[in-house]
Structures are given as C-alpha cells and as structure tokens.
Amino acid sequence: MKKTITLLLLLFSTMFSMAQVVITNSNFSMGTTGRIGVGLSPNGEGNQWRPLNLSGQGSLGGRMEQIDYIDILPAFHFSPKILDKDSTNITFQMRLGMYSNNGQFIGNASSRTDNGLTFILPEAYVEATNIMGSRWSAWAGSRFRRYDDIHISDYFYFDDHSSQGFGVSHKNTELTMLMPASSNTGSIFPYNYEVTVAGATNSAIRQRMVWIGEHSFKLKNNNTIKLLGEFHHVSANSDEASIKYPADNGWVAGIKYNSPFKTDMPGSFNQISARYGSGIANGGDNGNSFTWATYGAPDAQGRYNSAYSFTMVEHFLLNVSKKFSINGYGVFTRSKGGSGSSNKDTYFDGTELFNQKTDFVVGMRNFYYVTDWFHILQELHYAVRKDGDNPEASMWKFSLAPTIVPLAQRDPWSRPHIRLVYTVARYNDFARDNNYSSFLQVNQKQWGSYIGVKTEWWLF
C-alpha cells in the first residue's frame, strides 16, 4: 500500500511539474502621464480660470489651459516558458486616472469636496502578443485602444476604440468586439430601463455590441493605408419593460493614410483620414471620436435610421531643422441625428437637444529651439461650431509658451515640459452672447485670457 501511495504521489508530482507555467524575464513597469499647474484669467470673474475652447469641442482648439489630470499605469510583463518555447509576450496593465471635476486645482480638491476629484479606471486588461512564436495576438478587458492623435488638441481620431471588450489580430489584421453600454446613460444613448418581474421592479441594460474589423496595407517608403469597418447593434427590450425601445443598428467605414516625410531632422509625417458613420454609429462630439456615442435625437419610432456623421482629419509634423518644427491639423465634422429636424428635437428622456451640428477646427504649433533645453512654443487655432439652425459660434486663440525641457532634446515629443503659458482668445458676437465656452458662461466678454505655469509629462 505504501509503495502504491508513493508511486501515485511521484506520478502526481511529475504531472504537476510538467503542467506548471514557469515565468521568465518577469518585470514590473510603472508609467505615468499628466498635466498639472496653476493659472488664472486676468479678465475673468475673480481671476478664476475657465477653459476657453468652444463648448462641444473639448480640447479641439488647443489644450494649453487644460484642467489638471494624472494617469498612473502599473503593468506586469512576462514571457512564460512552456514546453521549452518562450516567444509569447504577455502584459497585464491597469490605468488609474484622476482629475479635478469643477475647475479647482487638483491639489486643492478631494473626494470629499463637492464635485471634487474624479477617479476612473479606464484600463485593466491582459494582452498576449506573438503567441508561441506565431503572428497571432489576443487581448481581453478594458483598455485605451487608440492610435494616431493630434496631440496639441488631445484628439484621438479615426480609430479610438477605447472601451471594454476583446480582440484578436494576425499580422496587419485586427478583429475586435466591444460592449460599451452603460448604466450611467448621460447623453450618449438610452441603455437603461426598468422591468417588472414577479412584482419587483429592477433596472436592466440594453447591451450595445460593436464588431470592428481593421486592416493595414504596408506600402513602399513606410507609407500605410488603414481600412476600418464597424457594425453596431442594440437589441429591443421586452413588452414588459417600463419604456419600449426598438432594436437599432449602425455601421462605420473609413480610410486613413500615413506617410513619413524626409526632412533634415527625422520624424516628419503627414496623416489624412476620412470616416463615415451611419445610424447609431454616428458618434463623435465634445472632443471625442467614439462612434458608439450616438449623436442627436431619434425619429418618432425611437430609431436612428437616417442618422450619420462624416469626419475628415489632416495632421502633419515638419521637423524643418534643428531650430524649428511645425505641427498642424484640421478637423471637419458634420453630424445629424435620427430625427428629420435640422434644429432641435426631443430625446428619449424628454429633453430638447440639437439634432444637427458642424465642427471645423484648424490649428498649428510652432517649436523654436532656442537651446537644447529651452524651447518657445506658439499656437494659433481657429474653431467654428454650428448647432442646428443657429448662426456660427467661432473663436480665434493664440498661445505663447516659453518652455524648459529637462531632457535637453530638440524634439517635439520630448517630455517633461515646464511651461509659462499665456493664451488669449477672441469670440464672435454669437459665441459671446450665447455663452459658448466655460469661460463665457461666467464672463460674457469678447476676449478671454489665461496665464499660468504648467507641466506636462509622459514617462514609461
């Protein structure tokens, strides 16, 4: 009996040792991005600083005066050694974000302050790349899955698929499934409703499903063409629900072209993209480009059959010389909701909102490299917003920012920065008279201003 038990234990131990995963090259990384500082508006009420950009455009129009925020990104990276093969790379990453919710400086607010600090967890996922030496990769969880951005306006255009879901990729092809429904519907779509079962009323969620396919063509001279396709579906709810919502669909098609430029200094490029979204996939407002954040009001049947959104983006960087760089962009967006109205119509919850809008923003940032560690940044932006049948609200904005660059690199992407920022904005009469910015909501003036000292960083 003892011999039998001993043999069984040895067999179990051998099987266990063969089945266990041995981790090699394990390491921990800590990244962080953020922007924080102090500032005031010299001509503002009580000198209080408020964002100058037009309402509904987020950071489009420049972000020199952006509110304080901090992201912390802890991650584990390892390569498991399975059957003497160690080619798979695995990452587990989280992101903790925090920002001040009411314009206060982040150091003067807390979770106990009214509308004080907001904490978010937009990333928590596992990704495996080059699985067992193949060209296959996979991920699952919640993540900031996004690519090219216009940094000076913090605008991730074309293929920002930040949400919760999963995906697989092989070589230059990616397939993704997202489920971005939320119990906190806000203004993005009516997901939440109530249903009564056995006499008890409980909340339920209409789950949106988004299928995404992307493929990149690698051309000569490192040029790239990327194709994008999406299909969105939200199912109907039951007849027993307190509010009846019909099923609805949407789709997206887009193309993006990336081309590097040869200049005296490396890193120059040109990027141009066009994207069309139909139905419930017509999202993209308030400075984001999420196609699932449906825009506008529904039709009389509660659908978005005739809704659409078209966006074009031009973005370039020219590293002209060791003395000078220029980064410019243009964004045009035209969107309409499901209702036939060209102005306002009724949303699901009974509120009135605009059903049509046009955004047009152009801008550029110049970098003058006085020395390796002292740069002068200049920005000029022009932004227009037209909601419904309203006249256009417009803004010109100019920023000047002498900047200390501690890493002493003549490079637009070198961080951290310590900047002295001065910004002045001029609004047209309609923007001023209708409070078309956070600044104008407190100060109904033709001119807005900001002066402050800010730091910006991204460290990985």
Side-chain angles (χ1 to χ4, degrees), residues 316-335:
F316 69 88
L317 172 66
L318 293 175
N319 291 323
V320 179
S321 68
K322 291 184 178 180
K323 282 290 187 179
F324 187 74
S325 294
I326 180 171
N327 186 197
Y329 73 96
V331 177
F332 171 81
T333 302
R334 170 76 171 179
S335 301

Side-chain angles (χ1 to χ4, degrees), residues 160 171 184 202 278 295 377:
D160 186 353
K171 295 183 179 179
N184 182 17
N202 298 286
S278 177
Y295 171 83
L377 279 56

Side-chain angles (χ1 to χ4, degrees), residues 58-204:
S59 293
L60 277 172
R63 58 199 294 257
M64 286 288 190
E65 321 88 49
Q66 190 173 2
I67 63 172
D68 295 345
Y69 74 93
I70 298 172
D71 284 349
I72 299 175
L73 294 83
F76 293 93
H77 314 272
F78 55 90
S79 297
K81 186 175 181 180
I82 304 175
L83 299 178
D84 297 323
K85 295 181 179 181
D86 58 357
S87 54
T88 306
N89 296 310
I90 300 174
T91 295
F92 167 73
Q93 179 170 299
M94 298 179 63
R95 181 188 296 257
L96 174 64
M98 61 199 80
Y99 58 91
S100 178
N101 200 38
N102 63 356
Q104 295 188 65
F105 301 121
I106 200 167
N108 300 336
S110 72
S111 57
R112 293 184 178 182
T113 308
D114 290 339
N115 295 318
L117 288 181
T118 295
F119 293 88
I120 58 175
L121 188 65
E123 282 195 319
Y125 69 93
V126 170
E127 182 178 29
T129 59
N130 302 321
I131 299 172
M132 298 300 292
S134 71
R135 300 293 294 275
W136 286 95
S137 299
W139 69 272
S142 179
R143 65 184 299 190
F144 274 166
R145 186 171 173 269
R146 53 194 191 182
Y147 299 90
D148 296 322
D149 76 308
I150 302 169
H151 171 70
I152 61 178
S153 286
D154 196 26
Y155 184 67
F156 287 83
Y157 61 94
F158 187 75
D159 46 9
D160 186 353
H161 300 138
S162 301
S163 188
Q164 194 151 327
F166 61 90
V168 296
S169 63
H170 183 261
K171 295 183 179 179
N172 299 324
T173 302
E174 298 179 77
L175 299 175
T176 306
M177 171 69 169
L178 300 179
M179 295 184 177
S182 171
S183 59
N184 182 17
T185 57
S187 61
I188 61 174
F189 206 73
Y191 295 119
N192 225 19
Y193 65 97
E194 293 181 342
V195 62
T196 299
V197 177
T201 299
N202 298 286
S203 62

Side-chain angles (χ1 to χ4, degrees), residues 231-309:
F231 177 73
H232 298 221
H233 174 72
V234 175
S235 63
N237 53 9
S238 67
D239 293 334
E240 289 75 23
S242 57
I243 302 176
K244 179 63 177 176
Y245 294 127
D248 216 344
N249 301 305
W251 57 268
V252 176
I255 183 170
K256 178 171 66 174
Y257 178 63
N258 283 359
S259 177
F261 280 162
K262 290 185 178 180
T263 52
D264 289 341
M265 295 291 289
S268 300
F269 61 79
N270 184 67
Q271 301 167 344
I272 185 169
S273 72
R275 190 184 75 182
Y276 183 87
S278 177
I280 61 172
N282 75 334
D285 200 23
N286 292 304
N288 72 60
S289 59
F290 304 138
T291 56
W292 46 263
T294 304
Y295 171 83
D299 61 20
Q301 288 72 45
R303 291 188 173 93
Y304 284 79
N305 291 335
S306 61
Y308 69 87
S309 181

